[in-house]
Amino acid sequence: MSWVEIGSEAELRELLGEVMPRVAGKERPRLHERDRQWLAASPFCLIATSDAEGNCDVSPKGDPAGFTHVIDDTTIAVPDRPGNRRADGFRNVLANPRVGLLYLIPGRNETLRINGRARLLRDAPFFDEMVVKGHRPRLALVVEIDQIFYHCAKAFMRSSLWRPDRWGPDPLPSHAVLVKEVQRVEESVEDLERYYGESYARRLYG
C-alpha cells in the first residue's frame, strides 16, 4: 500500500471531523486558582522550543513539587538546575521565544498545557524562593502565558503509564551501556557505571 499524505487543513478536518465546542473553547489567557494548585503539585514538565529555522527540541524539567514559581496570573518562572550544559532549549529561546510546556502530576492522567513567550533571566528577587537543598538557580526561564488549558487523559490511559501492573521488564540495558554503544566515548562501561551510579544522585544540585 502506498503512502497517502495529508496536504491541507481541510483534508485533515475531513478525516478527523470538527472539534467539539467544549474543547475548542477551553483555552484561557491567564491562570485560574486551579492552575496554581496544579503547578504547586507538579514535580515535572516538558518544555518544547524551536530555533529561528524551526528545528525543535523538547527538554524535561523536574524538581520538588511546586518548583514552578508563579509571578502573577500571566507569568511563571521555571528554574534551571545543573545539567549537561548543551542548553538546546535555552539557545532556541534566544532565537525564538515561543515555547510550549506540559505539566504532569504522577498518577493523574490529565496534563496542564501552557503556551507562551519566554525569556531568560540570570537573576531576580524571586530566585531566592526557588532554592533547593541550598542551591539557588543560576538562571530561570520566564514564560508570559498566551494559552493555558487542561489536556484530556486518553494518551495516558492508552499507555497505562501510571499502572505498575502493566509495566514489563526493562527491555534495555543500563544507561551506561547505552551511552557506550550509541556515543563516541573513551570511558569504559565500568567507568560509566560508576559515573551514573550513587554519586550521580549526589550531583543533582551541584
Side-chain angles (χ1 to χ4, degrees), residues 121-190:
L121 294 187
R122 63 185 303 164
D123 202 3
F126 62 79
F127 277 37
D128 292 337
E129 301 179 42
M130 298 192 292
V131 174
V132 175
K133 296 187 176 181
H135 292 273
R136 193 174 188 266
R138 294 173 296 178
L139 65 88
L141 183 79
V142 174
V143 179
E144 296 178 12
I145 298 170
D146 290 328
Q147 297 174 316
I148 183 169
F149 56 94
Y150 289 98
H151 194 90
C152 73
K154 291 180 179 177
F156 285 77
M157 295 172 68
R158 293 182 184 121
S159 66
S160 300
L161 185 66
W162 305 124
R163 291 186 54 183
D165 62 303
R166 299 290 294 274
W167 299 347
D170 194 336
L172 297 170
S174 70
H175 185 60
V177 173
L178 291 177
V179 169
K180 186 64 176 178
E181 290 181 352
V182 305
Q183 297 177 210
R184 296 177 181 176
V185 296
E186 296 180 356
E187 297 97 325
S188 67
V189 170
E190 291 73 20

Side-chain angles (χ1 to χ4, degrees), residues 3-23:
W3 295 11
V4 181
E5 185 174 345
I6 294 172
S8 68
E9 184 173 348
E11 189 178 356
L12 179 65
R13 282 296 166 206
E14 182 182 1
L15 180 66
L16 299 181
E18 295 299 323
V19 64
M20 293 184 294
R22 172 174 50 80
V23 176

Side-chain angles (χ1 to χ4, degrees), residues 49-104:
T49 60
S50 64
D51 64 17
E53 286 73 44
N55 301 299
C56 297
D57 179 74
V58 177
S59 178
K61 301 294 179 184
D63 242 342
F67 70 101
T68 294
H69 178 76
V70 176
I71 298 173
D72 56 41
D73 285 347
T74 59
T75 317
I76 61 173
V78 181
D80 182 48
R81 305 298 181 188
N84 58 22
R85 302 177 186 171
R86 284 180 57 100
D88 297 301
F90 292 148
R91 290 188 289 114
N92 285 348
V93 166
L94 293 174
N96 175 8
R98 298 291 178 178
V99 296
L101 298 87
L102 187 70
Y103 279 92
L104 283 69

